[in-house]
Amino acid sequence: MTRATANTAGPDRLTALHRIGLSWQPSGQAALRGPLLRLFEDCDRAFVRLASLWDAQEERHPASLPAQRLEQVGYLRSFPHQATFVARLSPEEENIDAFLDGPVADDDGRVELPGLSPVTEVLTPAACYHLYNAHQGEALDGPLYLTTRNTCFRQETHHVPLRRLSSFTMREIVCLGTTAETVDFLDHARSAVDLFFGLIDLDVQWLAATDPFFRPQGNPRHLLQRVQPVKHEATYGGDLAIASVNRHHDHFGAGFGLSRDGRPADSCCVAFGLERWLFALTDRHGLDPASWPCLEDAATTVLAKLRGGTA
Amino acid sequence: MTRATANTAGPDRLTALHRIGLSWQPSGQAALRGPLLRLFEDCDRAFVRLASLWDAQEERHPASLPAQRLEQVGYLRSFPHQATFVARLSPEEENIDAFLDGPVADDDGRVELPGLSPVTEVLTPAACYHLYNAHQGEALDGPLYLTTRNTCFRQETHHVPLRRLSSFTMREIVCLGTTAETVDFLDHARSAVDLFFGLIDLDVQWLAATDPFFRPQGNPRHLLQRVQPVKHEATYGGDLAIASVNRHHDHFGAGFGLSRDGRPADSCCVAFGLERWLFALTDRHGLDPASWPCLEDAATTVLAKLRGGTA
């Protein structure tokens, strides 16, 4: 089987991916079944196994967050162009009737909404926001390791199958603690992920990156990220970030009143974009499931090596 | 431990549930960790095991559906008051600036959205809509058994922890086929679920129900459901539907051009509301995980009995 270049996702590749379980939606979303769905879950189990390096506690969070909570950490002011809101028709009968008097959905699939109920919820922008929010106000007496997975929403100008989606799945491992604890976590996490990449034979480059701020040149947080990179992305094929390690300093600890040793806690996270892993793995190892690496086994090997090394 | 009545979810119970992993969000959503999260996943594994009675294929679907597709089966006209839409700011810089010039989120947590991008997507109303949509246009040469789980969204006038949520998790098992095939599936499914209820010692009553149509008295589909019940709910504690069996006749087959034997396929589904199962199981068996039944083992027993009986 010849290897496609990483930055193509043309019709042939889409047809081939369809045969192993991808159903690509024009709205920029992926449905999965069969071999690709099993690979997706295998990826996630591997990441959860990596999270067990720190005995990270699993949490499951809802689809959205209150706008007010997100604004405690300036999310809507920094990323208004990417925010995705939960909207419902205002429930008065006259309003619903006005909706029903229209085409409901026009020929282009657009819905005309007369009056909306108050919009108060933002669909998950990144899985880890829920964790800081859920632990708001806690005073930690040691480092806190957590892991969670969620569907994340973005506004994109264009969509590419398994590469650029309007909603996608993110697994994260997070550490909250002192600066030393979180930096130590991030160093170990990057080592673990690097070992994992080696074992599954996936070439990536780590590149410094910045978050996609609105009007970045005017945003002090963007300027700070340029001066002192806090985000590094494991980049496959030159341009596809499939994992990232992120250092937030005390941004979330201060915003959510989460403290450690009497000071706002620092936080760091490792994030994996699951659909992009499907792209990278099938690009590197082909479309035959028999040629795919066993990701859970690789994660187990990482654990044995790192635990052995630190024991 | 004394048993709470099923229809209460007062502060004491909420505090007790919090201790075993519930974090209740004022927006009507549930976050889970610890014992409750393990029970949640144990429930879902049990339902997936029941689905293996029919070798149902697992599918994973995105968070939303195109409004246009849902309107093929009249969803927005029947349930406009419950529909939940994906809304994003129109991306022109002037529009984003207008948003940023406002309070972003006011003291009540309400977001003022100046101009929206075209609204084209509806957040999942029920997990099974994705399945009919994904198989649109197929001509089946035998019954098709599928299972999927998704986060579903509703507009509710009030919320009750683990009982009435604005977004919740639904596992469904679906059969598409001839009338005989789907009715046979539904009969077996109900037997399987009944056996399961017996094994885990959960008392339910099966009650005929109708879907929550807007202005039901004027909706011919509602009238038809009253004359010939197509939905039965397994009801715990007198008023909490934790599972339902549903017969759609050829509503989805006709709407999505899905055929069997040259005619629009019939469909039936069994649906489980996972958060409500947490309520019922903790209400019936208490808050100590050691007293909870092993749901996967019970599902395995159901399989052995039903397969034994039909072999």
Side-chain angles (χ1 to χ4, degrees):
Chain A
M1 176 171 301
T2 58
R3 180 181 162 197
T5 61
N7 50 7
T8 60
D12 289 355
R13 183 170 173 84
L14 198 52
T15 304
L17 287 168
H18 182 80
R19 276 198 297 273
I20 56 169
L22 174 67
S23 175
W24 176 247
Q25 321 280 314
S27 58
Q29 298 179 303
L32 301 172
R33 64 171 74 103
L36 271 186
L37 178 54
R38 287 190 287 277
L39 184 62
F40 178 94
E41 293 298 348
D42 192 30
C43 274
D44 193 49
R45 275 189 300 268
F47 303 146
V48 169
R49 193 157 295 183
L50 293 179
S52 72
L53 264 172
W54 301 275
D55 294 323
Q57 174 171 247
E58 173 96 38
E59 299 195 0
R60 178 181 161 84
H61 286 280
S64 65
L65 283 150
Q68 208 167 28
R69 288 299 192 96
L70 277 178
E71 211 31 38
Q72 289 177 216
V73 287
Y75 172 78
L76 288 173
R77 293 210 171 268
S78 291
F79 308 103
H81 56 313
Q82 296 213 326
T84 307
F85 300 93
V86 175
R88 297 182 173 101
L89 284 165
S90 194
E92 303 80 31
E93 290 219 352
E94 324 67 276
N95 188 56
I96 306 280
D97 280 332
F99 173 72
L100 294 176
D101 285 345
V104 176
D106 72 15
D107 291 345
D108 295 323
R110 298 177 181 203
V111 179
E112 282 296 329
L113 299 171
L116 295 181
S117 287
V119 170
T120 58
E121 291 282 311
V122 180
L123 287 160
T124 305
C128 67
Y129 281 98
H130 287 281
L131 301 174
Y132 315 121
N133 178 49
H135 292 268
Q136 167 153 325
E138 289 183 12
L140 305 176
D141 55 11
L144 178 64
Y145 302 102
L146 301 167
T147 181
T148 196
R149 165 177 139 179
N150 215 322
T151 299
C152 301
F153 294 76
R154 300 283 164 87
Q155 174 150 240
E156 299 284 3
T157 53
H158 67 291
H159 302 119
V160 183
L162 297 184
R163 293 174 59 92
R164 190 161 295 278
L165 287 74
S166 61
S167 85
F168 60 94
T169 317
M170 190 188 290
R171 162 67 63 185
E172 295 203 55
I173 313 169
V174 165
C175 172
L176 284 149
T178 63
T179 301
E181 286 160 351
T182 58
V183 168
D184 183 63
F185 160 77
L186 209 61
D187 288 346
H188 274 85
R190 187 159 156 176
S191 302
V193 173
D194 267 334
L195 267 173
F196 187 66
F197 281 127
L199 288 163
I200 63 172
D201 193 12
L202 203 62
D203 279 334
V204 299
Q205 280 181 285
W206 286 97
L207 302 177
T210 54
D211 288 314
F213 292 98
F214 177 67
R215 215 169 261 162
Q217 63 282 12
N219 191 310
R221 284 175 57 205
H222 173 82
L223 297 176
L224 195 65
Q225 289 195 0
R226 296 271 316 257
V227 175
Q228 184 187 39
V230 290
K231 182 186 198 72
H232 290 86
E233 295 177 332
T235 306
Y236 176 76
D239 61 355
L240 187 69
I242 60 173
S244 66
V245 292
N246 303 271
R247 188 175 167 194
H248 315 124
H249 299 283
D250 65 358
H251 180 65
F252 292 114
F256 288 112
L258 245 162
S259 65
R260 169 92 180 93
D261 268 357
R263 300 181 49 189
D266 271 23
S267 61
C268 286
C269 75
V270 189
F272 304 95
L274 280 153
E275 288 83 358
R276 287 183 169 184
W277 277 74
L278 298 185
F279 185 95
L281 287 165
T282 54
D283 185 68
R284 173 68 190 91
H285 293 291
L287 298 162
D288 178 0
S291 66
W292 296 343
C294 180
L295 303 168
E296 274 194 271
D297 287 355
T300 303
T301 304
V302 171
L303 258 61
K305 287 199 181 189
L306 288 186
R307 283 184 172 152
T310 57
Chain B
M1 177 171 302
T2 58
R3 182 181 160 198
T5 61
N7 50 7
T8 59
D12 289 354
R13 184 172 173 84
L14 198 53
T15 304
L17 286 167
H18 182 80
R19 275 199 297 272
I20 57 168
L22 173 67
S23 175
W24 177 248
Q25 320 280 314
S27 59
Q29 298 179 304
L32 301 172
R33 62 171 76 104
L36 272 186
L37 178 55
R38 287 190 288 276
L39 184 62
F40 178 95
E41 293 298 347
D42 192 30
C43 274
D44 193 49
R45 275 189 301 268
F47 303 146
V48 169
R49 194 158 294 182
L50 293 179
S52 72
L53 264 172
W54 301 274
D55 293 323
Q57 175 172 248
E58 172 96 37
E59 298 194 359
R60 178 181 160 84
H61 286 280
S64 66
L65 282 151
Q68 208 166 30
R69 287 300 192 96
L70 276 178
E71 212 30 40
Q72 289 177 215
V73 287
Y75 172 77
L76 288 173
R77 292 209 170 271
S78 292
F79 308 103
H81 56 313
Q82 296 212 327
T84 308
F85 300 92
V86 175
R88 296 183 174 100
L89 284 165
S90 193
E92 303 79 32
E93 291 219 350
E94 320 74 270
N95 188 55
I96 306 280
D97 280 331
F99 173 71
L100 294 176
D101 284 344
V104 176
D106 72 14
D107 291 345
D108 295 323
R110 298 177 180 204
V111 179
E112 281 295 328
L113 299 171
L116 294 181
S117 287
V119 170
T120 58
E121 292 281 311
V122 180
L123 287 160
T124 304
C128 67
Y129 281 97
H130 287 281
L131 300 174
Y132 316 121
N133 178 49
H135 292 269
Q136 165 151 326
E138 289 183 13
L140 305 176
D141 55 11
L144 179 63
Y145 302 102
L146 301 167
T147 183
T148 196
R149 165 177 138 178
N150 215 323
T151 300
C152 300
F153 294 77
R154 300 282 165 88
Q155 174 150 241
E156 299 284 2
T157 53
H158 68 290
H159 301 119
V160 184
L162 296 184
R163 292 173 59 91
R164 189 161 296 278
L165 287 74
S166 61
S167 85
F168 59 94
T169 316
M170 191 187 290
R171 162 67 63 183
E172 295 204 54
I173 313 170
V174 165
C175 172
L176 283 149
T178 63
T179 300
E181 287 161 352
T182 56
V183 168
D184 183 63
F185 160 78
L186 209 60
D187 288 346
H188 275 85
R190 188 158 155 175
S191 303
V193 174
D194 267 335
L195 267 173
F196 186 67
F197 281 128
L199 288 163
I200 63 171
D201 192 13
L202 203 61
D203 279 335
V204 299
Q205 279 181 285
W206 285 98
L207 302 177
T210 55
D211 288 314
F213 293 100
F214 176 68
R215 215 168 260 163
Q217 63 283 14
N219 192 310
R221 284 175 60 205
H222 172 82
L223 297 175
L224 195 64
Q225 289 195 359
R226 297 268 318 255
V227 174
Q228 184 187 39
V230 291
K231 182 185 199 73
H232 290 85
E233 294 178 334
T235 307
Y236 175 76
D239 61 354
L240 187 69
I242 61 173
S244 67
V245 293
N246 304 271
R247 188 173 167 195
H248 316 124
H249 298 285
D250 66 357
H251 180 65
F252 293 114
F256 288 112
L258 244 162
S259 65
R260 169 93 179 93
D261 269 358
R263 300 180 48 189
D266 271 23
S267 60
C268 287
C269 75
V270 188
F272 304 94
L274 281 152
E275 289 82 358
R276 288 182 168 184
W277 278 73
L278 298 186
F279 184 95
L281 287 165
T282 54
D283 186 68
R284 172 68 190 88
H285 294 291
L287 298 161
D288 177 0
S291 65
W292 297 342
C294 180
L295 303 167
E296 273 195 273
D297 287 356
T300 303
T301 305
V302 171
L303 258 61
K305 288 198 181 188
L306 289 185
R307 282 185 173 152
T310 58

